């Protein structure tokens, strides 16, 4: 595709949707930089993210009104700056933020890494227990009963309450 | 600023040092109960500085930790820290209360009141992602023992910009890829990196040109995968391929264009040894040629560490530090040429 202003190949393609009307712009490196547009490789990710939101936003009236009750940050302000105001903004804007984060994070929708020990100790333990349960199910499914018994014992150690202990592996 | 520098991260004998200059891992962390920096009041930001200082300088973190109050530091000192990759340009240019804690060997730095309350970074020479991740993790545990982090079970560590949410971790590797540049194959690396959701930046991060043929490659995804998975992907799948690609391009250069290669090297050395005025960009370009020749064993008399250090020493704030006075643009070029001439004398 050629640049809108000259015959050189276009390297920047901008699609803007405003009031339901789509406009396209294609520019070569020279004209893009003359217009103050950074080339794709140099565009900071949060700017890309914000641009993406602007393009995707087709319910402006509704989302613009949303505010975080804790810090007062408006969703519209996040759209401009790419920055949230406080931890609670994640919950306040979840409906709009969720799909954006998923896109920006290449499909990542929830945390799969380290968890804090302090304050988050219970969370860490819950995740650990979940993993052990999963391993236990797999062990039973593949008839590795010795391993299953070991996992059951580990789960019992982690959860001393007998009413909530891991179910014993299926008989076999 | 201190009177001398410590640069273990410029050690040329580090793993894969011929292609990888340095590697870095950083964590974005926020302290629970405070708004993010952009929304905090001046009093809250001051309180964040106080808490951070107490935690970071309270011992048990690293030896010889120093605290630099960037609001009080001179413009020159802030530039120097940016050039040494110890603070971001954003932090240097910001006008709010902010600081950085730096370990004696400069391998650890913690920016306070950048985009997030804390940006903890470990820097090392060559490709040592596993060991720097291990150390970063220990430091994170230490800090977490003293303060509560903003964390949610669904989103993980909460950050001001959602592009960092989850692990909050960014691994980046500074690669020297002159042969891929010469053979015009660097764009293929850029495209492949983009497809793999990696960012490719220059020597001085976002927006900086690929000065000296350095390319900083880092993960963009921080959510949905564990730290180990992100690390493993880079370390085992992506970086070995780029390193091999560069090495292959270097072998091809020697096999097919040996004379041309030596000519470029010697011309570069000729200018570096005799120029009286030297611009930063030109110096970086010529040093890159010398670094390539050293890696190919074609300049055994030159110490690669000297060249690694020169990339830093030719930067403006470093030149002024050396001269112990502010320098005009012309004086910078004169001083740069003098330093380089001495280094290669």
């Amino acid at each position: 595709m050629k640049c809108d202003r000259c015959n050189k190949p276009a390297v920047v393609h901008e699609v803007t949707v405003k009031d339901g009307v789509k406009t396209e712009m294609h520019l070569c490196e020279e004209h893009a930089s003359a217009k103050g547009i950074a080339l794709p490789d140099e565009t900071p990710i949060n700017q890309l993210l914000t641009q993406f939101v602007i393009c995707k936003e087709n319910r402006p009236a509704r989302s613009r009104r949303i505010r975080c009750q804790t810090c007062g940050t408006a969703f519209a302000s996040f759209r401009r700056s790419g920055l949230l105001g406080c931890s609670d903004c994640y919950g306040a804007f979840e409906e709009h933020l969720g799909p954006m984060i998923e896109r920006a994070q290449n499909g990542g929708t929830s945390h799969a890494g380290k968890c804090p020990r302090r304050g988050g100790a219970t969370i860490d333990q819950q995740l650990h227990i979940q993993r052990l349960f999963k391993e236990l199910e797999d062990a039973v499914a593949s008839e590795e009963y010795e391993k299953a018994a070991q996992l059951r014992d580990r789960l019992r150690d982690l959860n001393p309450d007998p009413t909530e202990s891991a179910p014993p592996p299926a008989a076999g | 600023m201190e009177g001398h520098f410590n640069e273990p991260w410029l050690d040329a004998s580090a793993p894969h040092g011929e292609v990888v200059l340095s590697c870095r891992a950083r964590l974005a962390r926020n302290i629970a109960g405070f708004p993010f920096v952009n929304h905090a009041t001046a009093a809250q930001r001051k309180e964040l500085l106080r808490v951070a200082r107490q935690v970071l300088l309270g011992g048990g973190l690293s030896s010889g930790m120093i605290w630099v109050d960037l609001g009080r530091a001179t413009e020159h000192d802030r530039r120097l820290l940016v050039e040494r990759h110890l603070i971001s340009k954003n932090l240097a240019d910001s006008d709010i209360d902010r600081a950085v804690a730096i370990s004696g060997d400069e391998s650890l730095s913690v920016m306070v009141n950048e985009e997030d309350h804390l940006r903890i970074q470990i820097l090392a020479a060559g490709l040592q992602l596993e060991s720097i991740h291990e150390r970063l993790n220990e430091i994170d545990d230490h800090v977490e023992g003293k303060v509560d982090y903003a964390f949610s079970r669904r989103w993980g560590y909460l950050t001001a910009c959602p592009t960092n949410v989850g692990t909050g971790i960014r691994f980046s590797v500074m690669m020297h890829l002159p042969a891929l540049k010469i053979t015009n194959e660097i764009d293929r690396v850029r495209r492949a990196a983009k497809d793999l959701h990696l960012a490719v930046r220059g020597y001085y991060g976002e927006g900086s040109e690929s000065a000296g043929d350095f390319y900083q490659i880092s993960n963009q995804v921080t959510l949905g995968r564990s730290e180990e998975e992100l690390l493993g992907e880079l370390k085992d799948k992506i970086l070995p391929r780029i390193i091999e690609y560069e090495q292959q391009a270097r072998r091809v250069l020697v096999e097919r264009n040996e004379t041309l290669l030596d000519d470029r090297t010697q011309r570069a050395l000729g200018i570096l040894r005799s120029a009286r005025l030297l611009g930063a960009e030109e110096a970086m370009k010529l040093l890159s040629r010398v670094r390539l020749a050293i890696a190919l064993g074609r300049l055994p008399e030159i110490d690669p560490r000297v060249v690694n250090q020169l990339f830093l020493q030719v930067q403006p704030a470093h030149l002024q530090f050396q001269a112990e006075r502010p320098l005009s643009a012309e004086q910078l070029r004169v001083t740069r040429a003098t330093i380089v001439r001495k280094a290669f004398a």
Side-chain angles (χ1 to χ4, degrees):
Chain A
M1 187 173 287
K2 284 184 179 169
C3 173
D4 292 344
R5 309 207 176 156
C6 65
N7 270 333
K8 287 186 193 153
V11 294
V12 172
H13 311 273
E14 192 174 271
V15 181
T16 318
V17 183
K18 197 179 171 189
D19 302 328
V21 182
K22 186 170 125 185
T23 46
E24 287 187 33
M25 184 170 67
H26 308 280
L27 297 171
C28 67
E29 201 171 324
E30 209 173 296
H31 281 110
S33 97
K35 210 169 177 293
I37 300 171
L39 293 181
D41 277 341
E42 297 168 358
T43 310
I45 183 74
N46 61 350
Q47 199 177 321
L48 281 179
L49 185 73
T50 318
Q51 282 168 358
F52 171 72
V53 188
I54 293 165
C55 291
K56 288 291 283 186
E57 188 53 70
N58 51 11
R59 288 171 296 175
R62 206 178 132 208
S63 68
R64 205 177 288 147
R65 278 200 300 268
I66 304 175
R67 269 182 190 280
C68 170
Q69 294 301 312
T70 309
C71 69
T73 296
F75 188 71
S77 145
F78 163 68
R79 285 194 320 177
R80 278 193 304 274
S81 68
L83 297 175
L84 296 163
C86 74
S87 301
D88 292 342
C89 289
Y90 278 92
F93 306 143
E94 190 159 9
E95 185 194 343
H96 299 273
L97 207 51
M100 279 172 46
I101 292 181
E102 188 177 343
R103 181 74 66 109
Q105 294 283 357
N106 191 28
T109 53
S110 61
H111 184 51
K114 183 179 178 178
C115 297
R117 277 186 231 144
R118 243 168 73 103
T122 47
I123 297 169
D124 222 5
Q125 183 152 345
Q126 281 166 16
L127 290 176
H128 183 53
I129 290 173
Q130 275 177 15
R131 271 196 292 269
L132 288 180
F133 263 116
K134 177 79 177 53
E135 279 181 47
L136 177 63
E137 278 171 24
D138 292 347
V140 172
S142 56
E143 300 186 357
E144 295 171 77
Y145 299 116
E146 202 172 321
K147 187 180 170 189
Q150 283 171 3
L151 287 164
R152 179 200 58 200
D153 292 344
R154 279 172 67 190
L155 278 161
R156 272 190 190 149
D157 290 344
L158 282 169
N159 195 347
D161 183 349
T163 57
E164 287 186 20
S165 65
Chain B
M1 291 281 105
E2 298 288 314
H4 64 278
F5 293 126
N6 214 334
E7 294 142 351
W9 55 276
L10 288 177
D11 179 6
S13 61
H16 297 286
E18 66 287 353
V19 176
V20 181
L21 180 73
S22 61
C23 60
R24 173 162 54 167
R26 77 109 172 99
L27 287 175
R29 293 286 187 259
N30 288 281
I31 298 173
F34 287 89
F36 294 138
V37 176
N38 70 87
H39 219 266
T41 62
Q44 286 168 324
R45 291 195 286 245
K46 274 202 166 64
E47 177 62 8
L48 281 162
L49 281 178
R50 193 192 62 78
V51 171
R53 186 181 176 139
Q54 209 167 26
V55 172
L56 300 170
L57 266 71
L61 211 62
S62 192
S63 64
M65 290 295 290
I66 61 157
W67 179 263
V68 183
D69 180 338
L70 294 165
R72 290 189 188 170
T74 62
E75 166 73 12
H76 167 261
D77 282 354
R78 290 197 293 266
R79 293 291 135 218
L80 198 61
L81 292 169
V82 172
E83 289 179 4
R84 299 185 73 71
H85 304 278
L86 293 169
I87 64 171
S88 65
K89 211 173 161 297
N90 278 347
L91 193 72
D93 296 342
S94 150
D95 53 7
I96 61 166
D97 282 316
R98 65 219 188 274
V100 62
I102 306 168
S103 69
D105 65 359
E106 296 189 14
S107 62
L108 164 68
S109 76
V110 186
M111 293 189 275
V112 186
N113 286 347
E114 216 257 17
E115 188 177 284
D116 295 296
H117 298 157
L118 303 174
R119 286 280 177 101
I120 312 170
Q121 136 179 323
I122 301 280
L123 195 61
L127 191 57
Q128 309 190 57
L129 288 175
E130 255 168 345
S131 64
I132 60 171
H133 176 230
E134 205 173 303
R135 185 152 170 240
L136 188 65
N137 207 17
E138 284 167 12
I139 286 159
D140 188 41
D141 287 345
H142 177 90
V143 176
E144 190 229 302
K146 317 258 180 196
V147 295
D148 282 331
Y149 282 147
F151 181 87
S152 104
R153 188 164 172 185
R154 172 170 182 196
W155 298 115
Y157 292 93
L158 301 174
T159 51
C161 179
T163 51
N164 295 312
V165 79
T167 57
I169 204 162
R170 189 91 64 210
F171 294 105
S172 44
V173 178
M174 188 76 81
M175 307 189 85
H176 188 222
L177 306 175
L180 290 175
K181 181 78 185 294
I182 294 171
T183 54
N184 281 326
E185 284 170 271
I186 197 70
D187 287 337
R188 287 175 66 183
V189 174
R190 279 183 183 274
R191 280 197 298 272
K194 205 175 161 195
D195 290 345
L196 293 163
H197 299 275
L198 300 170
V200 182
R201 304 184 175 97
Y203 193 67
Y204 283 112
E206 259 165 22
S208 76
E209 294 298 308
S210 49
D213 305 321
F214 286 106
Y215 297 85
Q216 199 184 130
I217 295 179
S218 55
N219 63 296
Q220 281 188 316
V221 170
T222 53
L223 183 73
R225 266 176 268 175
S226 70
E227 293 81 356
E228 289 73 19
E229 284 172 306
L230 293 167
L231 170 67
E233 200 165 282
L234 261 183
K235 184 181 75 79
D236 302 327
K237 292 184 190 162
I238 296 160
L239 297 174
R241 286 176 63 191
I242 303 178
I243 292 171
E244 177 47 32
Y245 199 23
E246 166 68 19
Q247 295 284 31
Q248 194 187 329
R250 290 181 185 186
R251 286 194 293 272
V252 170
L253 275 180
V254 175
E255 279 164 25
R256 299 191 192 155
N257 295 301
E258 196 173 1
T259 314
L260 189 70
L261 183 72
D262 286 339
D263 181 68
R264 280 168 58 98
T265 308
Q266 294 303 328
R267 279 170 184 270
L269 265 179
I271 296 173
L272 293 169
R273 280 182 171 142
S274 51
R276 268 24 184 193
L277 291 170
L278 201 53
E281 208 175 304
E282 185 183 15
M284 298 277 280
K285 191 176 95 183
L286 299 173
L287 287 169
S288 170
R289 291 184 187 175
V290 173
R291 195 181 190 279
L292 171 65
I294 294 173
L296 290 170
R298 304 180 86 77
L299 288 174
E301 71 279 16
I302 297 178
D303 180 357
R305 191 185 161 86
V306 168
V307 178
N308 282 354
Q309 283 173 326
L310 277 174
F311 281 108
L312 212 54
Q313 288 162 358
V314 298
Q315 304 303 326
H318 277 75
L319 293 173
Q320 306 202 21
F321 178 80
Q322 190 97 349
E324 296 178 348
R325 66 190 164 95
L327 299 172
S328 67
E330 168 95 2
Q331 287 168 332
L332 280 173
R333 294 171 71 206
V334 172
T335 312
R336 187 177 291 115
T338 311
I339 283 176
V340 170
R341 271 205 320 278
K342 269 191 199 155
F344 288 115

